[in-house]
Amino acid sequence: MAIPNFNVCHKLELLKEEGKSGDPKHQEGEGEEEEVQSYEFQEMLESLPKERGWRTRYLYLFQGFWCQSKEIQAIMSFQKHFKSLQNDVVLATIPKSGTTWLKALTFTVLNRHRFDPVFSTTDHPLLTSNPHDLVPFFEYKLYANGDVPDLSGLASPRTFATHVPFGSLKDSIEEPGVKVVYLCRNPFDTFISSWHYINNIKSEAVSPVSLEEGFDLYCRGVIGFGPFWEHMLGYWKESLRTPEKVLFLRYEDLKQDMESNLKKLASFLDVPFTEEEEQKGVVHSISDLCSFENLKKLEVNKSSKSIKNFENMHLFRKGEVSDWVNYLSPPQAERLSALVDDKLGGYGLTFRYN
Ligand code: A3P
């Protein structure tokens, strides 16, 4: 098996994030998101429908989904420059569905011969690096801030992550053998997790989003990379159409039965666990190493910053199924439930809420 080159991944992480040169214009009022834009980009942005943002002033409707101006720049650059290679692995999620967890699991599964999860109890990369440093996002890391990285030195299988919907990813992953793993979480918990996270990390220049306001935006589809139903459906349909290319996992299933889902993941990635590995406890060790309790207590996840300037600690809140019952009123739960039935019910995409 080819093993990803961990050192190169780390070098990528060290790429300095710099503003664009050229003829810049600052967009006002984005607070921490304040950024440098060309006039052409600004013009294009102004032509897009926009709504109140959650942690920046606006979200724009770009290619049918809502996102921030800085993300649009990075996504356009990714779509223009990224060339997939056979065996690339892309982890896809809508934010707050367990992306960090999926990155930890996939990295550990793919690199288990190099970093033994059973015996490397002190020197496994996950103990000193946040999962976002080990599996970079296209839009927040690799193609952010005008960077166009040279990814040719990465060993196969190169492993990346993205929040973009399938429709905006598909042209970039046409190479045969590219695999996509989608992690889906029930929309109720995803909303509550998003609401907490965004209010924790948003800039002071943007007023907090109340639960009521956030809920209304969410139900209207206005959330980063949403509408959530279209995001989920895009990957769901593709996983049914091409199961060898897209694996659809559920957060709640991982919580309930990590080991069989890990085996599914490893087989899908063409690195199934051998009987010997299972007897040695490899599957169990990966599950333990990547558990919420283990990752949350690590120093790197308590005190560092891995995505932009956001504290890693906000990536690990409760890690539970059904926390939404502590926040949503019965009428809100009814509204969301009806929406989920309406948008997803006809497609066989179902959720567990406990
Ligand atoms: P909560 O806010 O409900 O606790 P993402 O990684 O996509 O940003 O998703 C974050 C959500 O996943 C948060 O949910 C976080 O606590 C949870 N999470 C992070 N690491 C996890 C892990 N190892 N196991 C289970 N859940 C995890």
Side-chain angles (χ1 to χ4, degrees):
M1 183 199 72
I3 298 165
N5 185 335
F6 174 68
N7 291 328
V8 178
C9 285
H10 260 275
K11 274 189 207 142
L12 278 171
E13 301 310 306
L14 297 174
L15 281 182
K16 198 166 179 328
E17 296 189 349
E18 290 170 340
K20 276 175 91 173
S21 57
D23 188 11
K25 178 175 173 184
H26 276 274
Q27 176 166 336
E28 299 298 329
E30 292 279 37
E32 165 275 325
E33 285 291 293
E34 194 167 307
E35 63 198 68
V36 180
Q37 298 174 343
S38 69
Y39 287 107
E40 294 75 21
F41 181 78
Q42 185 71 19
E43 215 171 37
M44 189 279 289
L45 204 61
E46 275 162 18
S47 73
L48 299 177
K50 67 182 179 203
E51 283 265 4
R52 189 230 140 119
W54 287 62
R55 65 181 174 83
T56 53
R57 194 163 172 196
Y58 296 116
L59 279 177
Y60 298 87
L61 191 60
F62 171 73
Q63 298 183 355
F65 62 95
W66 293 97
C67 60
Q68 299 164 24
S69 57
K70 214 171 180 183
E71 292 162 347
I72 296 176
Q73 280 182 311
I75 292 164
M76 286 171 71
S77 173
F78 154 70
Q79 289 175 334
K80 183 169 171 193
H81 297 289
F82 178 72
K83 300 273 173 284
S84 60
L85 295 178
Q86 211 183 11
N87 300 330
D88 279 351
V89 176
V90 179
L91 308 182
T93 52
I94 196 161
K96 313 323 288 175
S97 303
T99 321
T100 316
W101 195 14
L102 181 63
K103 286 185 177 189
L105 292 166
T106 308
F107 177 86
T108 310
V109 166
L110 287 173
N111 289 283
R112 65 187 191 268
H113 299 300
R114 182 165 186 180
F115 304 112
D116 187 333
V118 180
F119 295 110
S120 60
T121 47
T122 53
D123 59 357
H124 193 282
L126 265 184
L127 301 177
T128 48
S129 300
N130 178 268
H132 294 286
D133 292 324
L134 302 173
V135 181
F137 273 116
F138 288 128
E139 61 273 17
Y140 295 119
K141 182 67 78 177
L142 299 175
Y143 294 89
N145 302 306
D147 283 347
V148 179
D150 177 6
L151 304 174
S152 59
L154 292 176
S156 174
R158 307 184 304 175
T159 311
F160 307 109
T162 189
H163 285 322
V164 303
F166 187 75
S168 293
L169 176 68
K170 66 178 187 337
D171 291 347
S172 307
I173 54 159
E174 272 179 348
E175 192 68 29
V178 178
K179 291 185 184 264
V180 177
V181 182
Y182 186 74
L183 182 60
C184 188
R185 188 181 194 187
N186 81 68
F188 288 64
D189 285 327
T190 307
F191 165 68
I192 293 300
S193 184
S194 301
W195 179 70
H196 278 288
Y197 185 70
I198 288 164
N199 279 327
N200 276 327
I201 61 157
K202 68 164 198 53
S203 119
E204 302 223 324
V206 179
S207 57
V209 181
S210 70
L211 187 75
E212 290 66 32
E213 191 183 5
F215 184 75
D216 187 58
L217 287 167
Y218 188 70
C219 290
R220 291 196 291 112
V222 185
I223 181 123
F225 301 92
F228 69 82
W229 55 88
E230 285 184 9
H231 202 282
M232 293 168 181
L233 261 188
Y235 285 96
W236 171 247
K237 285 182 182 167
E238 201 53 30
S239 74
L240 298 177
R241 203 179 69 83
T242 57
E244 68 293 345
K245 187 157 186 112
V246 179
L247 175 68
F248 193 96
L249 297 174
R250 289 174 169 83
Y251 182 98
E252 296 76 21
D253 293 347
L254 297 189
K255 285 295 276 188
Q256 189 180 49
D257 181 1
M258 169 52 82
E259 296 201 9
S260 67
N261 278 283
L262 262 179
K263 288 183 199 166
K264 202 191 275 185
L265 175 65
S267 298
F268 174 75
L269 296 174
D270 293 330
V271 286
F273 295 108
T274 61
E275 234 170 71
E276 194 191 338
E277 283 186 301
E278 287 194 36
Q279 279 164 9
K280 215 176 95 184
V282 172
V283 187
H284 189 73
S285 299
I286 295 176
S287 166
D288 277 356
L289 179 63
C290 300
S291 71
F292 178 81
E293 294 69 26
N294 187 50
L295 295 184
K296 186 181 169 85
K297 69 172 195 255
L298 297 172
E299 200 49 44
V300 65
N301 294 330
K302 286 200 273 194
S303 58
S304 303
K305 296 174 178 177
S306 296
I307 309 175
K308 295 183 181 171
N309 291 318
F310 306 151
E311 305 272 357
N312 289 347
M313 66 178 180
H314 297 310
L315 295 164
F316 303 91
R317 191 182 64 92
K318 277 193 176 173
E320 289 173 1
V321 177
S322 272
D323 188 37
W324 64 269
V325 298
N326 299 312
Y327 295 90
L328 296 187
S329 66
Q332 285 174 325
E334 250 170 61
R335 178 177 171 190
L336 187 50
S337 186
L339 183 65
V340 169
D341 282 353
D342 178 39
K343 300 292 186 186
L344 301 173
Y347 296 92
L349 177 50
T350 53
F351 300 97
R352 280 193 297 106
Y353 297 102
N354 49 40

